[in-house]
């Protein structure tokens, strides 16, 4: 049985458990947290993610729920979902990500400037965490102090996402955003927050505050997780660094492959809207279903050498960003940030390697879902 809140759910234990489930019980039942099913095979996970009419997202993205409120757009199905995705398109479209690339590149270069002459760094503290914060601050038009606020409440929520204090954190953060909305109404700026409060979308401030909470939390922490996993893998595999330096066009496929192999967000839940069956297992309307995206990404029926990193893997149909209408809206921006960061460190500190104690998310954080690196000391 998969239990996201198990205290021994280390990354190694999680992937071993996924192997067991795919082989012996691809649709498993857990009775904790109100009861739920877990889907572990790629084809089943992807099919459920694509079928939003049966597998609804309106029950929330945590197990058990962490708030009585819903977080747009991830907790909404059509037709409301499309309206929220349109509202955030200026931040999340492929064109927006492309336009941000010069800013991202400048930010990465400045961060590497801060440690390149030292010969050592913590690549999480000095790059993987501050880079997405810098990007979000720029996107929203916020001052640097806001970035510190965002990181602070995200760390607090990560610690308490599985318990009752998580609700308190969310309530406090939503009040923070509503105060910022009020400031922008009093003193409009040329930024996304002003656009948001002036747009005719029909959503009230509490709904918009919940949207900003989840966008900001996911937009920087999940990117930091993906970047930290990638940098750790490269630090531990100097031969891969050499390949990417010799063949820089492989950076794009290598980043995607490491995201498959070390999926930052392991699962998301759904609610069944009607009776259905999967892999011969009958499930009832109203049941909770957990889609194990990280397990799907290691399914040997889909990925040859699934438990290895194949840096030139093509095609790579991984679901690290989800699938269907709830595919991560910030996917293009996250990919750009990770790619540019990798390109830069390979050029400026080639041969970087682990030198010290690496701290991973063990057990998985954020309610049992987040896989990343919290400290990554390296030298070159």
């Amino acid at each position: 049985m998969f239990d996201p809140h198990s205290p021994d759910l280390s990354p190694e234990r999680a992937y071993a458990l996924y192997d067991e489930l795919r082989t012996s019980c691809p649709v498993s039942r857990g009775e904790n947290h109100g009861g739920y099913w877990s889907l572990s095979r790629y084809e089943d996970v992807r099919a459920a993610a694509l079928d939003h009419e049966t597998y609804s997202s309106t029950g929330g993205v945590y197990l058990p729920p962490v708030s009585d409120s819903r977080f747009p757009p991830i907790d909404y199905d059509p037709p409301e979902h499309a309206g929220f995705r349109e509202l955030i398109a200026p931040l999340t479209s492929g064109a927006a990500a492309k336009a941000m690339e010069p800013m991202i590149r400048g930010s990465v270069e400045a961060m590497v400037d801060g440690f390149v002459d030292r010969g050592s760094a913590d690549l999480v503290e000095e790059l993987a965490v501050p880079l997405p914060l810098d990007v979000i601050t720029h996107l929203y038009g916020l001052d640097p102090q806001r970035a510190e606020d965002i990181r602070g409440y995200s760390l607090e929520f990560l610690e308490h996402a599985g318990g009752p204090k998580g609700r308190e954190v969310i309530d406090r953060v939503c009040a923070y955003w509503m105060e910022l909305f009020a400031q922008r109404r009093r003193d409009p700026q040329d930024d996304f927050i002003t656009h948001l409060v002036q747009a005719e979308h029909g959503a009230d401030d509490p709904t918009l505050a919940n949207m900003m909470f989840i966008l900001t939390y996911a937009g920087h922490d999940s990117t930091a997780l993906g970047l930290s996993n990638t940098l750790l893998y490269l630090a531990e595999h100097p031969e891969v660094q050499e390949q990417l330096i010799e063949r820089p066009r492989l950076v794009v496929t290598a980043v995607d492959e490491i995201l498959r192999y070390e999926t930052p967000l392991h699962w998301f839940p759904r609610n069944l809207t009607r009776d259905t069956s999967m892999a011969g297992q009958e499930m009832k309307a109203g049941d909770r279903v957990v889609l194990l995206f990280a397990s799907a990404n290691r399914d040997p029926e889909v990925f040859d050498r699934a438990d290895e990193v194949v840096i030139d893997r093509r095609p790579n149909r991984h679901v690290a960003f989800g699938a269907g209408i709830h595919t991560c809206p910030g996917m293009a921006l996250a990919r750009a940030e990770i790619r540019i960061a990798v390109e830069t460190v390979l050029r400026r500190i080639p041969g970087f390697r682990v030198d010290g104690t690496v701290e991973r998310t063990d057990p998985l954080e954020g309610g049992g879902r987040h896989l990343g690196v919290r400290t990554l000391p390296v030298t070159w």
Side-chain angles (χ1 to χ4, degrees):
M1 181 193 76
F2 171 77
D3 183 349
H5 300 289
S6 174
D8 64 351
L9 195 64
S10 66
E12 293 76 15
R13 172 56 185 149
Y15 281 112
L17 178 58
Y18 299 153
D19 286 343
E20 296 171 14
L21 291 175
R22 287 193 306 268
T23 301
S24 61
C25 192
V27 180
S28 63
R29 179 70 182 175
E31 297 302 335
N32 295 337
H33 322 300
Y36 56 97
W37 301 95
S38 297
L39 309 185
S40 53
R41 296 190 309 195
Y42 178 94
E43 296 299 342
D44 297 340
V45 169
R46 190 169 187 276
L50 293 175
D51 184 5
H52 60 267
E53 293 183 349
T54 303
Y55 296 85
S56 170
S57 294
T58 57
V61 295
Y62 287 92
L63 182 75
V66 297
S67 174
D68 296 327
S69 301
R70 295 162 65 192
F71 302 108
I74 198 168
D75 290 354
Y76 285 74
D77 289 335
E80 295 91 348
H81 173 266
F84 286 113
R85 290 287 289 235
E86 183 178 352
L87 191 61
I88 64 175
L91 303 180
T92 60
S93 67
K98 186 69 175 175
M100 286 288 293
E101 287 197 13
M103 176 267 154
I104 297 169
R105 198 170 302 278
S107 181
V108 176
E109 293 284 0
M111 290 174 189
V112 177
D113 283 344
F115 57 72
V116 64
D117 293 334
R118 190 195 316 149
S120 65
D122 181 334
L123 289 184
V124 172
E125 184 66 26
E126 297 181 76
L127 182 59
V129 167
L131 175 61
L133 283 174
D134 208 22
V135 171
I136 283 177
T137 302
H138 184 87
L139 278 173
Y140 293 167
L142 302 178
D143 59 62
Q145 180 55 49
R146 298 287 186 181
E148 295 302 317
D149 295 342
I150 288 166
R151 184 59 183 164
Y153 75 62
S154 293
L155 286 172
E156 187 178 9
F157 182 68
L158 270 172
E159 182 180 355
H160 299 291
K165 193 172 180 181
R167 295 172 185 260
E168 298 175 20
V169 177
I170 292 170
D171 289 345
R172 181 160 22 93
V173 173
C174 286
Y176 173 95
W177 281 109
M178 285 191 285
E179 173 56 30
L180 186 55
F181 297 160
Q183 289 180 18
R184 287 299 190 267
R185 288 191 178 98
R186 293 192 301 266
D187 181 20
Q189 307 289 321
D190 183 18
D191 61 17
F192 176 75
I193 305 301
T194 301
H195 162 76
L196 188 65
V197 298
Q198 291 180 344
E200 296 181 3
H201 42 63
D204 59 18
D205 278 8
T207 301
L208 294 179
N210 277 297
M211 183 181 75
M212 293 307 299
F213 166 78
I214 202 69
L215 284 178
T216 306
Y217 172 62
H220 89 270
D221 197 69
S222 57
T223 303
L225 295 172
L227 178 53
S228 67
N229 289 337
T230 303
L231 293 172
L232 173 60
Y233 184 85
L234 294 176
E236 292 179 333
H237 295 83
E239 75 284 1
V240 175
Q241 289 190 50
E242 292 175 6
Q243 288 178 274
L244 297 181
I245 291 169
E246 291 173 5
R247 302 171 62 192
R249 291 191 177 187
L250 282 181
V251 169
V252 172
T253 58
V255 166
D256 246 21
E257 173 66 350
I258 298 170
L259 288 172
R260 176 199 69 83
Y261 180 75
E262 295 280 36
T263 304
L265 301 179
H266 273 217
W267 55 269
F268 279 90
R270 299 289 192 268
N271 273 14
L272 283 177
T273 62
R274 53 194 173 208
D275 295 353
T276 191
S277 63
M278 184 74 77
Q281 179 64 59
E282 299 296 324
M283 299 180 286
K284 299 295 185 182
D287 285 355
R288 292 282 267 171
V289 181
V290 174
L291 312 187
L292 296 173
F293 290 104
S295 175
N297 281 339
R298 295 281 191 101
D299 190 337
E301 294 297 316
V302 177
F303 301 100
D304 183 43
R305 297 160 61 193
D307 289 323
E308 301 176 32
V309 170
V310 181
I311 64 170
D312 59 351
R313 186 184 297 276
R314 288 183 182 273
N316 193 343
R317 299 186 297 143
H318 72 78
V319 287
F321 293 104
I325 66 170
H326 290 291
T327 298
C328 173
M331 175 175 62
L333 187 58
R335 278 186 164 131
E337 292 178 54
I338 297 171
R339 171 179 56 80
I340 290 169
V342 168
E343 290 170 345
T344 305
V345 297
L346 289 175
R347 174 171 51 82
R348 299 196 62 186
I349 56 169
F352 66 94
R353 61 195 181 277
V354 174
D355 183 21
T357 301
V358 173
E359 181 184 347
R360 300 212 71 185
T361 51
D362 182 2
L364 302 183
E365 292 182 351
R369 176 160 55 211
H370 292 220
L371 171 65
V373 185
R374 290 307 176 206
T375 62
L376 178 52
V378 300
T379 57
W380 53 89

